[in-house]
Amino acid sequence: MKKNYKKDFPLLQNLDIVYLDSGATSQKPIQVIEEIEKFYEHNNANPHRSAYTLSQETTEVYENTRRKIAKFINSKTSEQIIFSKNATESLNLIAYSYGFENLLKGDEVVISIMEHHSNLVPWQKITNSKSASLKYLYLNNNYEIDDEEIENKITDKTKIVGITYVSNVLGTINNVKKVIQVAHKHGAIVVVDASQAIPHMRIDVQDLNCDFLVFSGHKMYAPLGIGVLYGKKDLLENMNPFLMGGDMIEYVYEQETSFAPLPNKFEAGTQNVEGVIGLGAAIDYIEEIGYDNIFDIENEVVSYAKERLSKLNFLNLYITSNEFNHSSVISFNVKGVHPHDVASILDSVGVCIRSGNHCAQPLLRFLGLEATCRASFSFYNTKQDVDKLVSGLEKVYKIFSKYIENKLEGQ
Amino acid sequence: MSELEDMYSDLIMEHSMNSQNKKKLKDANYIELGHNPNCGDEISLQIKLNGDVIEDLAFLGHGCAISMSSTSIMIDTLRGKTVKEAKEIIKTFIQMIKREITDEVQLKKLEDAIAFKNISNMPARVKCSILAWRTLEDLLNKNCS
């Protein structure tokens, strides 16, 4: 049942562009947009607040979506699903409410060198302030983390491990299960950033046995500004709240407060209900298409892209040669041309790619790169999109080639 | 399309790929670092003053064609100018990029740097074109006020 899924995405119908930046944010299907519209036209009120029917109904829609997400990632209970602004806020919540409270002087936090700044900077801050140290899992020449590296770096001193499921720069799929097994053997907890994974593959938190897992809604066809934190119940229950305010309390006195049970303890203030509704609709949409189908379509398009790009001898590609460990992101450079110039010229032919350091400066420094171009794919992309990318890159090379040759001669 | 080809003109490309101004300056009086954290462009701008005259300028660093060529062309434009003249020209360049000055007569003092006039049509690249000029403005304000 092959279908052109572009038809579900109004923006891709309205604009004559090739969108290859879904790793930054995905486009939104009509199913999600309509659900949000319906919410404002029929359900809008503040949940958890009032006794009238409308507010009760809003609460119901909001909590139903929490249950839907729990089922989607196979969480034992729905109270282990906490809504946040995005993966970044979820990670900060963990760093402050778990990391800050539990790390002691001399403890170690281990993260991979391919972490997004959001799973790196908070740990820097926390380890610094607790006199703990921050260690890195480095990559082999094939842009992957070896099992040996995992076994060597995670020790009895390790208390927290942070790992991205899929790299937002390299597309490498990390052996997260191995990281979790090794970490648990040493008594450490593991935080998984699934932001780049969940649009492409099924996440099962019980099967992974991760302690925390986070993702953003906007990379998986939901609106901007909604994110999720999953945590093991005993960990969440023993953590202090991150933000204080309305709806997260039980009793408030002049000098002290007791806090609400999970999940409200971590959801201070009026929440992004429209975002939650949109995320629910996005999950329905993904389930309707099915991850198997998503994988088949993306695999075909990404394989075709790799094949065509690898034939352009003016490109450097930064991807693992192991196709089973590679997701839907391709980083590359046009030799001798800065990625921003590449992105500007591609933009002139309607091809949208990302250029820069992709919020992963330590990774780029480790790889000896200043910046890369990044094309990231979704199931709405087609082989024709890849063809347009390739012809755009040929244009880049045509504009730059004579100057590049002069430059190389001059060296 | 034509805007794009204007932007990647011979002048800009030669300055970005093969600049004579990209080197270490002997006897520099001041060095100022400039960077755009979002894109990773970095320059180190070196200046040699003789009284209030800018005797020489050079730069080191890396970045896109727009930022590198803008740096190199700025250096050609400002070499030999007084600090006061240089500050005026920097101000005019930034006003040109912001479209606050469009009058060709007023822009004449920018010399080759007028090539960046249409960068305001490519908002994503404005920061690239302005990096060196802001960096030099900081250097002069700090050291030559």
Side-chain angles (χ1 to χ4, degrees):
Chain A
M1 58 158 231
K2 276 274 167 64
K3 180 183 156 190
N4 182 359
Y5 287 97
K6 274 197 168 86
K7 277 188 283 191
D8 289 342
F9 292 81
L11 182 138
L12 299 176
Q13 297 298 306
N14 294 333
L15 304 179
D16 186 19
I17 57 163
V18 170
Y19 187 74
L20 296 176
D21 198 18
S22 301
T25 195
S26 67
Q27 294 305 333
K28 316 305 172 198
I30 188 69
Q31 289 84 343
V32 168
I33 297 167
E34 279 178 351
E35 203 61 30
I36 294 167
E37 200 178 312
K38 204 174 95 191
F39 166 71
Y40 280 120
E41 287 171 357
H42 299 279
N43 295 105
N44 179 50
N46 202 325
H48 302 147
R49 290 296 197 282
S50 307
Y52 52 87
T53 311
L54 183 63
S55 174
Q56 290 299 314
E57 282 172 3
T58 309
T59 308
E60 204 174 300
V61 180
Y62 184 74
E63 292 304 327
N64 278 344
T65 309
R66 196 192 304 279
R67 283 188 278 275
K68 187 182 288 180
I69 294 166
K71 197 171 157 222
F72 184 60
I73 63 170
N74 196 26
S75 167
K76 260 184 212 159
T77 68
S78 65
E79 62 200 15
Q80 291 165 264
I81 303 297
I82 314 290
F83 291 120
S84 66
K85 192 166 71 183
N86 46 34
T88 297
E89 191 182 66
S90 298
L91 290 164
N92 274 271
L93 189 160
I94 301 165
Y96 281 87
S97 291
Y98 184 87
F100 195 81
E101 299 296 329
N102 289 287
L103 281 178
L104 299 170
K105 193 178 171 183
D107 285 348
E108 291 179 0
V109 173
V110 176
I111 61 176
S112 88
I113 192 69
M114 59 171 97
E115 295 313 305
H116 187 280
H117 293 159
S118 59
N119 202 18
L120 191 157
V121 183
W123 298 117
Q124 248 177 20
K125 172 103 177 125
I126 299 292
T127 50
N128 268 332
S129 68
K130 303 297 283 189
S131 301
S133 53
L134 183 58
K135 300 217 159 163
Y136 287 87
L137 301 170
Y138 295 111
L139 312 182
N140 62 21
N141 293 335
N142 202 21
Y143 306 108
E144 294 175 337
I145 299 168
D146 282 333
D147 284 359
E148 270 184 342
E149 179 73 356
I150 297 167
E151 277 157 9
N152 290 339
K153 289 281 169 67
I154 300 173
T155 68
D156 287 346
K157 283 187 177 173
T158 312
K159 295 293 176 283
I160 299 168
V161 179
I163 182 87
T164 186
Y165 206 137
V166 172
S167 161
N168 70 318
V169 180
L170 303 166
T172 302
I173 303 170
N174 284 314
N175 190 350
V176 170
K177 266 195 173 173
K178 170 82 183 175
V179 170
I180 292 166
Q181 281 161 8
V182 173
H184 285 173
K185 200 175 78 193
H186 292 285
I189 64 111
V190 180
V191 181
V192 177
D193 177 359
S195 304
Q196 294 290 340
I198 202 160
H200 310 289
M201 60 177 90
R202 183 167 294 285
I203 301 290
D204 182 331
V205 291
Q206 290 190 67
D207 180 52
L208 283 175
N209 198 18
C210 53
D211 301 282
F212 294 104
L213 183 134
V214 308
F215 57 92
S216 288
H218 71 94
K219 295 186 201 292
M220 53 177 290
Y221 314 105
L224 295 156
I226 184 69
V228 167
L229 159 66
Y230 157 85
K232 282 190 177 160
K233 201 171 168 187
D234 56 327
L235 294 174
L236 290 172
E237 276 176 340
N238 287 314
M239 280 155 61
N240 285 326
F242 178 48
L243 299 171
M244 316 291 154
D247 218 31
M248 50 77 70
I249 47 82
E250 197 175 42
Y251 294 105
V252 179
Y253 299 94
E254 286 188 20
Q255 302 298 335
E256 60 192 87
T257 293
S258 59
F259 300 115
L262 290 176
N264 301 52
K265 180 169 90 168
F266 292 110
E267 292 177 7
T270 296
Q271 295 294 297
N272 178 3
V273 183
E274 119 176 25
V276 170
I277 304 296
L279 179 55
I283 288 174
D284 291 341
Y285 182 67
I286 289 173
E287 293 285 29
E288 193 195 309
I289 297 169
Y291 272 114
D292 288 346
N293 200 15
I294 288 174
F295 176 83
D296 287 345
I297 298 167
E298 291 182 353
N299 191 39
E300 195 178 329
V301 174
V302 174
S303 300
Y304 178 68
K306 284 196 269 195
E307 186 195 317
R308 291 225 52 196
L309 294 176
S310 61
K311 284 185 186 147
L312 301 177
N313 58 11
F314 53 87
L315 289 191
N316 284 324
L317 296 182
Y318 311 106
I319 40 178
T320 167
S321 58
N322 183 351
E323 64 174 313
F324 298 107
N325 285 350
H326 183 255
S327 183
S328 300
V329 175
I330 300 178
S331 266
F332 61 90
N333 272 325
V334 178
K335 291 173 190 168
V337 184
H338 194 279
H340 287 168
D341 297 313
V342 177
S344 278
I345 295 167
L346 288 177
D347 184 43
S348 76
V349 295
V351 177
C352 311
I353 61 148
R354 175 100 181 250
S355 59
N357 59 49
H358 317 298
C359 300
Q361 289 179 19
L363 172 63
L364 268 79
R365 208 171 290 121
F366 174 80
L367 297 172
L369 301 169
E370 287 146 16
T372 72
C373 304
R374 182 186 75 173
S376 50
F377 296 83
S378 156
F379 60 83
Y380 47 61
N381 290 120
T382 60
K383 286 184 176 179
Q384 287 75 34
D385 292 346
V386 175
D387 292 338
K388 284 187 185 159
L389 169 67
V390 169
S391 68
L393 288 169
E394 280 162 348
K395 181 178 177 184
V396 172
Y397 186 68
K398 201 175 144 211
I399 291 177
F400 271 83
S401 54
K402 72 171 173 178
Y403 306 100
I404 297 170
E405 279 155 22
N406 288 345
K407 187 181 181 180
L408 293 176
E409 274 170 29
Q411 275 174 354
Chain B
M1 278 287 269
S2 66
E3 270 164 24
L4 182 93
E5 267 126 39
D6 276 0
M7 207 32 77
Y8 291 102
S9 63
D10 276 342
L11 174 77
I12 285 178
M13 295 294 259
E14 283 300 342
H15 272 279
S16 92
M17 306 298 268
N18 299 303
S19 176
Q20 305 298 319
N21 298 323
K22 191 173 181 179
K23 61 186 178 193
K24 194 164 165 23
L25 199 62
K26 275 185 197 163
D27 317 321
N29 301 98
Y30 302 107
I31 296 173
E32 183 78 23
L33 300 176
H35 74 136
N36 277 335
N38 285 338
C39 52
D41 288 0
E42 279 178 348
I43 55 162
S44 143
L45 204 59
Q46 312 150 71
I47 190 169
K48 188 175 182 222
L49 292 164
N50 185 355
D52 69 341
V53 174
I54 299 174
E55 194 177 299
D56 205 0
L57 284 156
F59 78 105
L60 290 169
H62 54 81
C64 63
I66 306 298
S67 68
M68 294 294 103
S69 60
S70 182
T71 309
S72 181
I73 291 171
M74 177 190 80
I75 288 174
D76 279 354
T77 304
L78 300 183
R79 190 181 285 120
K81 300 284 192 300
T82 66
V83 170
K84 189 164 174 268
E85 286 167 339
K87 284 186 180 177
E88 273 302 309
I89 292 170
I90 292 170
K91 203 173 146 199
T92 304
F93 182 84
I94 292 168
Q95 284 176 315
M96 173 184 79
I97 301 291
K98 291 179 171 172
R99 290 190 205 167
E100 289 166 7
I101 299 181
T102 50
D103 177 24
E104 297 276 343
V105 178
Q106 276 179 279
L107 296 178
K108 223 171 173 178
K109 62 176 146 192
L110 296 179
E111 299 171 19
D112 279 353
I114 203 165
F116 293 96
K117 194 175 174 211
N118 288 331
I119 200 85
S120 46
N121 297 327
M122 297 166 75
R125 309 307 298 277
V126 162
K127 274 171 99 180
C128 316
S129 70
I130 243 171
L131 174 66
W133 302 77
R134 288 267 191 229
T135 307
L136 184 61
E137 189 181 38
D138 284 352
L139 184 154
L140 295 177
N141 285 341
K142 264 196 249 172
N143 302 299
C144 310
S145 52

